[in-house]
Amino acid sequence: MKRYDVIIVGGGAAGFFTAINAAQLHPGLSVLLLEKGNQFLGKVKVSGGGRCNVTHACFDPNELIKFYPRGSKELRGPFHSFQPGDVFEWFQSRGVELKIEDDNRVFPVTDSSQTIIDCFLNEAKKNGVTLQLQTGVESFVCEGDSWILKTNRGEFSASKLVVATGSSPQVWKSLEQLEIAVVRPVPSLFTFNCTDPLIKDLQGISLPQVDVLIAKGKLEASGPFLITHWGFSGPAILRLSAWGARFLEQEGYNFDLQLNLLPQFDESDTITELKELRLSESKKKIGTYARFALPAKLWQSLVQKHNLSEKNWADLNNRDIELLAESIHRLVVKIRGKSTFKEEFVTSGGVRLKDIDFKTMEHKMVSNLYFAGEVLDIDAITGGFNFQAAWTTGYIAASSLK
């Protein structure tokens, strides 16, 4: 049986960051990183459309925690120890330059996730971290002062164990055998499926700002909005999916979604402008030209919804105008299912946060067992925040592995 000081289970962002920093901060520490797949950092590779959205340029911990539906309270202290500014310094000191884009997302200047992957692989090699692929952990138990891991490639032991696997049914099973409480994982960050005839042939249409609301769950969000061939996506939808992850799972992903397509205007102002158009454009057909800077196809679909396409503006009665304004500001569509956001997958759920010492990332009831990244019941909206939680929890765990 091979013996190490530290074994880290999970070859993703949190696992690698923990392993590298543990070896750098504590010279001489023997560190083994196990990955069950055939490649390391697979999620890093596809993140940000292959560019790797490393973090978000929010440097105030009190503001940063507002982007985490789960884990915001617990991360306040850790973010004071290691936040996006520290991430910049960490990568730049290792030759990786980062840039801040207009929406405050942060990427390597190369616009390639391979830059981050190469940095991690080089740093692991430089600091003597032992890397092992295709090694699935079947179980782990604590015997005396050692952790014994049974894998498909033999047994390993270590004084300290770090779990950084993300969502893994096999790991959940091992944790539960240790009587460690796990909040049942459910999907977060997903798009909505919709077959409403209103959006037929509208795929690719985007709006810069839409308010989205699920009245039953008292959930709301705002942001850019995209119509896809299967339904709806974009930051507004992804934010709503993150904050509503557990409620939407309970609803079976079948619910009514309300859209305000023009949140910059009051509905009463829209009604007033429609009445003015009834006078100024009286002889023109309603569906000919888009109004309110809405995309032409979307405008025509809204008009068609109320069978107004062939009518002239002068033919509109007040009820027609009210219905059209309602469709612009309080459009209700039925959502029937969800789809994974691109190739990325984030869950809400994991190891119960109240059981973790966030000064060390060690479990409060099980000594020498640490956690980092999405294996914890922490998740965030898109924009680099999930990676930031991985870097922060990984760094704190690494600092504690003396």
Side-chain angles (χ1 to χ4, degrees), residues 47 55 149-150 210 231 289 346:
S47 73
T55 186
L149 282 73
K150 292 184 179 180
V210 170
Y289 299 106
V346 175

Side-chain angles (χ1 to χ4, degrees), residues 341-352:
F341 176 56
K342 297 183 179 179
E343 296 179 48
E344 301 175 39
F345 185 72
V346 175
T347 59
S348 163
V351 176
R352 192 168 64 185

Side-chain angles (χ1 to χ4, degrees), residues 13 21-22 37 39 52 60 79 112 147 164 192 209 219 228 237 259 272 292 295 306 322 346 387 397 399:
N21 284 290
Q39 67 172 339
C52 189
D60 180 354
F79 281 154
S112 173
W147 284 99
F192 295 171
Q209 188 75 15
L219 297 165
T228 70
I237 295 299
L259 309 174
T272 298
F292 307 103
H306 300 291
E322 289 171 359
V346 175
F387 272 144
S399 301

Side-chain angles (χ1 to χ4, degrees), residues 24-25 78 80 118 224 227 232 261 277 279 297 325 344 358-359 366:
Q24 289 178 337
L25 293 171
H80 277 91
D118 290 343
I227 300 176
F232 306 117
L261 303 174
L277 286 167
L279 296 174
K297 285 187 176 181
E344 301 175 39
F358 275 81
K359 293 180 180 179
V366 184

